[in-house]
């Protein structure tokens, strides 16, 4: 199984809603990532988890709250978002540490629309 | 600041080799060159990576100049399904022994013409 599965594929939410994006992988990877991608722009790194601990937060607003409940799951909790947060949210995973290929495996993304 | 420079767009005829250039003149000794592509509305897909030597896999070939300041990704027989944005990324990936992700630049939009 070389897949990263993201759910839901599409999400529409109001600015007062609370919702979550979910990401799952069963490749034994111990590093997981959230990226945000606006239309016609490259993906931008948001968070990195390494061995279930948050290792990088790229100054992301607190209305985005990541969670890594175990080595296979990564969540992104959303609260009080703004319309400008509408984007494709991509999850990825990889082996951390030296000696591995460095390949990131990406999911298909969750397309979020904030009304 | 972007570590790589790529042309914003390129065309290639179907069945021909697509050669995508990338400049990375400030690359350091422990940094790899990675290539990913992103087909419209999908997640990025790993293609190939290399440190010094040329590399080939079932998808593509990567040619890195001897001074490592530039590289070329070669898709040997382009098909319409190869139309995508191709990202050249320079990164050591494992700085400090941990995973720190990859930083994507603007990439090259490759359009395969029938």
């Amino acid at each position: 199984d070389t897949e990263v599965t993201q759910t839901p594929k599409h999400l529409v939410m109001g600015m007062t809603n609370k919702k979550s994006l979910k990401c799952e992988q069963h490749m034994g990877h111990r590093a997981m990532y959230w990226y945000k991608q606006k239309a016609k722009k490259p993906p931008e790194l948001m968070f990195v988890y390494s061995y279930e601990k948050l290792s990088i937060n790229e100054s992301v607003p607190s209305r985005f709250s990541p969670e890594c409940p175990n080595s296979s799951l990564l969540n992104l909790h959303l609260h009080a978002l703004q319309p400008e947060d509408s984007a494709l949210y991509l999850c990825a995973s990889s082996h951390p540490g030296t000696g591995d290929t460095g390949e990131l495996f990406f999911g298909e993304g969750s397309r979020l629309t904030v009304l | 600041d972007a570590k790589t420079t790529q042309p914003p767009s390129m065309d290639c005829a179907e069945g021909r080799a697509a050669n995508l250039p990338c400049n990375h003149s400030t690359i350091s000794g422990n940094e790899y060159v990675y290539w990913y592509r992103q087909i419209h509305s999908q997640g990025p897909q790993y293609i190939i990576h290399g440190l010094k030597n040329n590399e080939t896999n079932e998808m593509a070939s990567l040619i890195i100049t001897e001074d490592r300041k530039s590289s070329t990704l070669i898709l040997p027989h382009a098909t319409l399904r190869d139309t995508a944005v191709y990202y050249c990324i320079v990164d050591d990936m494992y700085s400090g022994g941990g995973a720190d992700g990859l930083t994507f630049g603007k990439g090259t939009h490759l359009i395969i013409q029938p």
Side-chain angles (χ1 to χ4, degrees), chain B residues 25-77:
Chain B
S25 58
T26 61
I27 191 170
S28 61
N30 62 341
E31 288 183 319
Y32 289 78
V33 180
Y34 295 88
W35 283 84
Y36 282 74
R37 74 178 183 184
Q38 187 173 23
I39 295 170
H40 182 61
S41 295
Q42 296 183 19
Q45 176 191 24
Y46 166 85
I47 301 172
I48 199 167
H49 77 286
L51 184 63
K52 299 182 195 177
N53 300 322
N54 298 337
E55 303 287 344
T56 295
N57 63 21
E58 65 278 4
M59 288 183 68
S61 295
L62 173 60
I63 308 297
I64 302 174
T65 58
E66 193 168 341
D67 63 7
R68 304 212 317 128
K69 292 185 177 182
S70 66
S71 61
T72 302
L73 179 74
I74 301 172
L75 307 178
H77 304 287

Side-chain angles (χ1 to χ4, degrees), chain A residues 33 35 37 42 95 97 101-102 104 107, chain B residues 36 38 43 49 93-94 99 102 105:
Chain A
Y33 312 80
Y35 281 82
Q37 186 174 27
H95 290 286
T101 65
L104 261 64
Chain B
Y36 282 74
Q38 187 173 23
H49 77 286
M93 182 64 177
Y94 300 119
L102 293 174

